[in-house]
Amino acid sequence: MRIALFSTCIVDAMYPATARATVEILERLGHTVIFPTGQACCGQMHVNSGYFKDALPVVRNHVAAFSHGDYDVAVAPSGSCVASVKHQHPMLAHRCGDAGLAADAEEVGAKTYELSQLLTDVLDVTNAAEQLGSYFPHKVTYHPSCHGMRLLRLGDRQRNLLESVDGLEFAPLPEADQCCGFGGTFSIKNSDVSTAMLEDKADSIEASGASLCAGGDASCLMHIGGGLSRRGSQARTVHLAEILASTRDNPLVIPEAQGGVVVLNGGTR
Amino acid sequence: MSINLGIPAVRTRGEGNLFAHEKFPTAAKRELKNQQLRANLRHATHTIRDKRINVVSELPDWEDLRESGSRIKENVMARLPELLEQFEAAFTARGGVIHWANDATEANAIVTSLIRATGETEVVKVKSMATQEIGLNEHLESLGINAIETDLAELIVQLGHDRPSHILVPAIHKNRTQIRDIFRAEIPNASPDLTDNPKELAATARAYLREKFLNAKVAISGANFGIAETGTLGVVESEGNGRMCLTLPETLITVMGIEKILPRWEDLGVFMQLLPRSSTGERMNPYSSLWTGKNGQDGPQNIHLVMLDNGRTRALADKNGRSALHCIRCSACMNVCPVYERTGGHAYGSTYPGPIGAILSPLLTGITAEENSSLPYASSLCGACFDACPVKINIPEILIDLRAQDVEAQHSVRKAPTEMDVLMKGASWALSSGTRLKFLEKGLPAGRLLAGKDQRISWLPGIAGGWTSSRDIPAPPQSSFRDQWAQREKFQKSQGPQLFQQSQASPKPTGKQGE
């Protein structure tokens, strides 16, 4: 299968290791990954902030980059960006009366999958240890991000994949379904409320006893990880794709936290 | 004969208690500091939330019920003028008198004149959102008419000279001890030794209210439903105090929003299942009262209904927002909202707090009214409200639409762009081309310098400082993914196909920081 990678803007610029891990998993399964270089961002930040006019060129760019391409399906390691591609792009195209854009956006949306969705529903991966060789000997808890959970209805797909990783000890997260408080520009415009939500999420992660909190959205992980870092917590965040890509031969190494300083799942890998 | 539906040519802007008087972030910041409030709210919302999940999961056809509720309401919104006429004819035929009010001022004036005609100066009230919306109690008080709330929680709020902070549990922000103090101070015959034992508190309120019920000649109620087919009004409640008001006095005045109409009697079957489960987490309402006009010599003999617009036709004209009028005031959205849970209802300013308030208030008043433009931003768009809503109001989608209305309205009046405008414009330019993003990502190493030795960015200027006030940003990587991908492509051309990890541009893991 030819699979087009949508790296998302935040992964492209801040978390390239997550994109590399995504490619690695898919190539390990024998698929060909392509990277449409015209891509940049889904425009979710603009749409969610009410800047529809500024969102339109971003959406046009994404739809153009992925339209009529030589690939079977597209994948992104982010539930919220996939939800934006599937729901917001056609909505915005209809709003501005561009029927051509709407049709293309619908087509791109229908072919775009979140990573766990693609693995589970299309590529029949149900056991990461057996099918991907995934090995990650750490105690891990899991935060299901809101858009994956409620807009894409990912259900237990991400969690099931995590739990099937060799060596991984799964620790349930108390009140897992509660929003972490990121919400894009909400974290800036309503910073105090966002922080209060983040504090509770960080408390839950620490209460889980896990040293790592996994998730499927780099943006939520950046938010949660940023809060954990600020409070000097030993816990940190890691993207699901990087756990799945980790093997016995080439394990994802989590450096020790030193003096309360936490290195997030950023450029190092 | 033509019927005046009270729908004006120029759409009425809702008035009364529908406005935030300060921006949500400012109000929220203050409320967040109230630890007692947060603890009370957390306890109460989580209790109701868990009860709701339990009773909802008992019904295998819950999703079908939601869909039915949503469809019935859509149908109502599409045929509202026709249904209102049908309701008026049926209600009038059974001895009721109907009054149409464009706004809060008209509604208050109508109710006042009806009370004055009876010569009474004290009336009992059934808990009602519509009368809170129009500020009826305060209006009557200013004219020397005492309106006594009979719903226990509403009474607590009223005696405490406070405002309700939740649709279902108006005194959600008060604990037992606070309630005891209010009763001791405000109920004339309350024992000075009154404790905070719930039984004692209830008995004190009961004795006080019984006397009021038996002496009242006039009652004021809201209505949960109005059935167009039969002209029936309905109120659902939990204590039976509402029923006392609805049956004992001679005159009954109901104030109902025009959107509360249901077409048929049988539609009640859907809503009587949806409402109690969503609001109190119960299978059915303890007290469901329905009245259709006068009944012989029994019960109230003067039956009035004030049909309230107050911005509802304005909301109805908003094709993306009109489904907010589907709301049956169950409060399920506020019980699951992480923002409401932490700020409480007062932060929203309006009678309608929480997620539904964040859309309903600006829809009724217009987005530019007072500080209501800050309400649609009071959400992380987590979507829990949409999932919980028994009539499937897509609150997140309407929030986004109202944000767009706000941005447009702001842009039309403002000359200089705000920092957010500049940020969004710049991001739009950068993120609408792979080439531009690639160019900008060349600056990532500079971000690493900014992060310094401890590999994190802890301070940013301007609005981005909202982020770094409580969160770090990790040091950016050496290079972007697209650069690493391009390097691999180059590598593969000369060396043949390789798995990504073996050919990756960034260093191999060493277990040390900062590589």
Side-chain angles (χ1 to χ4, degrees):
Chain A
M1 199 174 256
R2 278 176 74 81
I3 301 171
L5 174 69
F6 170 35
S7 65
T8 80
C9 62
I10 190 164
V11 167
D12 184 27
M14 290 297 287
Y15 300 101
T18 298
R20 289 203 305 275
T22 306
V23 174
E24 212 175 301
I25 296 161
L26 300 173
E27 290 186 341
R28 214 181 282 163
L29 290 165
H31 301 289
T32 304
V33 179
I34 61 162
F35 183 79
T37 50
Q39 67 174 283
C41 170
C42 65
Q44 187 187 176
M45 176 181 75
H46 288 96
V47 175
N48 284 355
S49 305
Y51 283 76
F52 284 8
K53 269 182 200 151
D54 292 322
L56 195 58
V58 184
V59 170
R60 275 193 205 289
N61 179 67
H62 181 87
V63 173
F66 283 86
S67 278
H68 319 296
D70 177 24
Y71 67 88
D72 302 302
V73 292
V75 69
S78 161
S80 71
C81 306
V82 171
S84 172
V85 167
K86 282 181 178 294
H87 303 301
Q88 294 187 335
H89 289 192
M91 180 274 283
L92 204 67
H94 284 300
R95 282 287 173 91
C96 58
D98 190 334
L101 179 65
D104 287 348
E106 296 273 4
E107 195 192 310
V108 171
K111 285 169 82 174
T112 305
Y113 292 81
E114 182 276 337
L115 179 61
S116 72
Q117 219 176 14
L118 180 75
L119 289 172
T120 311
D121 301 356
V122 183
L123 306 180
D124 289 324
V125 176
T126 50
N127 189 318
E130 281 177 18
Q131 291 165 281
L132 298 169
S134 310
Y135 169 74
F136 193 64
H138 296 274
K139 190 167 178 179
V140 177
T141 190
Y142 160 69
H143 167 66
S145 289
C146 300
H147 290 181
M149 179 167 53
R150 302 203 180 91
L151 286 173
L152 296 182
R153 301 280 170 207
L154 293 182
D156 289 331
R157 288 175 180 83
Q158 294 182 337
R159 182 178 165 159
N160 287 344
L161 285 169
L162 268 179
E163 289 197 86
S164 70
V165 169
D166 189 16
L168 186 143
E169 185 190 342
F170 188 85
L173 181 68
E175 306 206 312
D177 66 343
Q178 295 296 294
C179 177
C180 72
F182 173 54
T185 48
F186 172 76
S187 59
I188 293 173
K189 289 195 165 191
N190 277 286
S191 180
D192 297 303
V193 188
S194 168
T195 300
M197 291 160 71
L198 174 60
E199 289 294 329
D200 289 344
K201 184 57 73 178
D203 286 346
S204 294
I205 290 168
E206 288 179 347
S208 78
S211 55
L212 291 158
C213 175
D217 273 71
S219 48
C220 308
L221 295 177
M222 180 163 104
H223 180 246
I224 299 170
L228 289 169
S229 165
R230 180 60 61 88
R231 63 154 73 181
S233 173
Q234 298 296 299
R236 69 199 69 187
T237 53
V238 57
H239 196 284
L240 167 74
E242 293 182 63
I243 293 180
L244 294 179
S246 175
T247 60
R248 274 182 193 277
D249 293 340
N250 199 350
L252 171 65
V253 177
I254 306 293
E256 291 294 316
Q258 288 169 4
V261 175
V262 169
V263 177
L264 296 140
N265 55 324
T268 49
R269 171 75 207 276
Chain B
M1 190 184 83
S2 75
I3 297 165
N4 175 16
L5 289 178
I7 298 172
V10 177
R11 293 186 196 287
T12 310
R13 180 181 125 153
E15 47 181 66
N17 298 325
L18 286 172
F19 300 87
H21 296 290
E22 59 186 335
K23 288 196 182 298
F24 182 83
T26 317
K29 191 178 182 128
R30 185 183 53 247
E31 299 292 322
L32 276 166
K33 288 184 190 135
N34 187 341
Q35 294 296 332
Q36 181 69 58
L37 169 82
R38 272 174 80 178
N40 294 354
L41 276 173
R42 185 179 163 83
H43 176 72
T45 56
H46 281 243
T47 307
I48 309 172
R49 185 192 296 190
D50 292 346
K51 274 174 77 183
R52 183 187 69 86
I53 291 170
N54 247 340
V55 291
V56 160
S57 64
E58 288 173 353
L59 291 188
D61 62 346
W62 179 252
E63 287 308 315
D64 293 339
L65 271 173
R66 284 178 82 208
E67 186 62 28
S68 299
S70 174
R71 293 279 176 90
I72 291 167
K73 285 291 190 178
E74 260 174 39
N75 181 272
V76 168
M77 298 314 149
R79 299 167 49 213
L80 194 55
E82 170 202 333
L83 290 172
L84 286 169
E85 286 190 35
Q86 192 190 354
F87 180 89
E88 179 173 45
F91 187 79
T92 312
R94 286 167 176 81
V97 182
I98 209 156
H99 312 262
W100 298 91
N102 280 321
D103 54 33
T105 309
E106 284 186 21
N108 286 333
I110 294 164
V111 176
T112 306
S113 70
L114 290 171
I115 297 171
R116 284 201 165 144
T118 67
E120 294 295 312
T121 54
E122 186 163 287
V123 301
V124 288
K125 275 194 76 203
V126 184
K127 176 177 172 349
S128 146
M129 299 310 295
T131 59
Q132 270 174 29
E133 172 188 323
I134 60 176
L136 179 64
N137 289 7
E138 298 89 323
H139 177 77
L140 293 177
E141 202 184 323
S142 73
L143 299 171
I145 299 169
N146 193 15
I148 294 159
E149 294 288 352
T150 65
D151 174 271
L152 182 55
E154 205 69 51
L155 177 70
I156 293 165
V157 171
Q158 186 180 42
L159 292 175
H161 311 285
D162 195 3
R163 284 185 302 145
S165 66
H166 188 283
I167 287 181
L168 176 73
V169 200
I172 197 167
H173 54 293
K174 294 281 182 210
N175 64 22
R176 271 194 250 161
T177 322
Q178 291 170 305
I179 294 167
R180 181 207 56 194
D181 294 345
I182 293 170
F183 280 10
R184 272 193 194 165
E186 302 288 337
I187 294 185
N189 297 323
S191 158
D193 303 325
L194 181 67
T195 72
D196 64 0
N197 178 323
K199 245 187 175 167
E200 268 186 56
L201 293 173
T204 303
R206 183 186 163 98
Y208 172 72
L209 287 174
R210 285 284 145 146
E211 194 198 320
K212 300 293 179 192
F213 291 138
L214 294 172
N215 290 318
K217 298 274 188 290
V218 181
I220 297 171
S221 86
N224 293 91
F225 313 106
I227 311 293
E229 185 176 67
T230 56
T232 303
L233 290 171
V235 159
V236 294
E237 37 119 18
S238 296
E239 296 163 359
N241 290 344
R243 177 164 293 179
M244 296 281 214
C245 300
L246 298 169
T247 51
L248 288 171
E250 290 159 12
T251 300
L252 174 57
I253 305 163
T254 302
V255 182
M256 179 174 86
I258 53 173
E259 84 285 12
K260 294 279 178 180
I261 294 287
L262 293 178
R264 302 164 306 174
W265 181 267
E266 65 181 272
D267 296 328
L268 274 177
V270 172
F271 290 94
M272 290 300 219
Q273 294 185 77
L274 286 174
L275 183 53
R277 283 186 160 81
S278 303
S279 63
T280 51
E282 291 166 309
R283 296 179 188 89
M284 64 183 283
N285 276 295
Y287 294 87
S288 303
S289 304
L290 298 166
W291 66 101
T292 310
K294 273 192 273 194
N295 179 21
Q297 294 302 305
D298 259 358
Q301 295 300 300
N302 308 307
I303 298 201
H304 294 271
L305 173 64
V306 181
M307 278 285 204
L308 179 71
D309 183 333
N310 204 34
R312 283 161 177 77
T313 48
R314 163 190 264 277
L316 192 63
D318 186 314
K319 76 174 165 34
N320 299 305
R322 73 168 59 122
S323 65
L325 295 175
H326 293 188
C327 177
I328 56 174
R329 312 286 189 260
C330 73
S331 78
C333 64
M334 48 202 80
N335 293 333
V336 297
C337 178
V339 176
Y340 177 88
E341 182 185 324
R342 287 163 182 88
T343 64
H346 293 161
Y348 296 80
S350 158
T351 290
Y352 303 108
I356 187 65
I359 59 171
L360 194 56
S361 305
L363 280 164
L364 292 173
T365 63
I367 192 76
T368 55
E370 301 211 23
E371 304 293 2
N372 279 1
S373 63
S374 67
L375 293 176
Y377 300 96
S379 166
S380 65
L381 303 176
C382 81
C385 50
F386 183 22
D387 266 15
C389 179
V391 285
K392 295 176 101 168
I393 302 170
N394 192 335
I395 296 175
E397 203 169 279
I398 301 174
L399 286 167
I400 292 172
D401 202 78
L402 287 167
R403 291 176 186 186
Q405 286 185 27
D406 171 53
V407 168
E408 210 158 287
Q410 298 287 332
H411 285 176
S412 68
V413 294
R414 225 174 17 222
K415 290 201 175 76
T418 61
E419 204 182 333
M420 184 60 89
D421 293 341
V422 173
L423 183 101
M424 287 293 167
K425 184 68 74 191
S428 171
W429 180 83
L431 296 173
S432 56
S433 150
T435 319
R436 276 178 229 147
L437 184 58
K438 183 180 169 171
F439 174 75
L440 288 169
E441 283 167 346
K442 298 287 178 210
L444 288 171
R448 289 176 73 80
L449 281 177
L450 182 69
K453 223 172 152 188
D454 68 355
Q455 295 265 306
R456 53 182 172 175
I457 299 168
S458 301
W459 181 86
L460 286 173
I463 49 173
W467 174 280
T468 47
S469 66
S470 57
R471 317 154 189 91
D472 294 333
I473 295 175
Q478 305 268 14
S479 59
S480 70
F481 173 74
R482 74 180 62 228
D483 266 356
Q484 295 172 16
W485 177 270
Q487 284 197 27
R488 181 175 89 145
E489 298 270 276
K490 214 194 279 172
F491 182 86
Q492 284 190 339
K493 253 180 204 154
S494 55
Q495 311 279 324
Q498 293 277 334
L499 280 183
F500 204 171
Q501 193 155 26
Q502 275 76 48
S503 64
Q504 63 186 305
S506 68
K508 286 230 169 190
T510 61
K512 284 183 199 150
Q513 290 180 42
E515 300 239 0

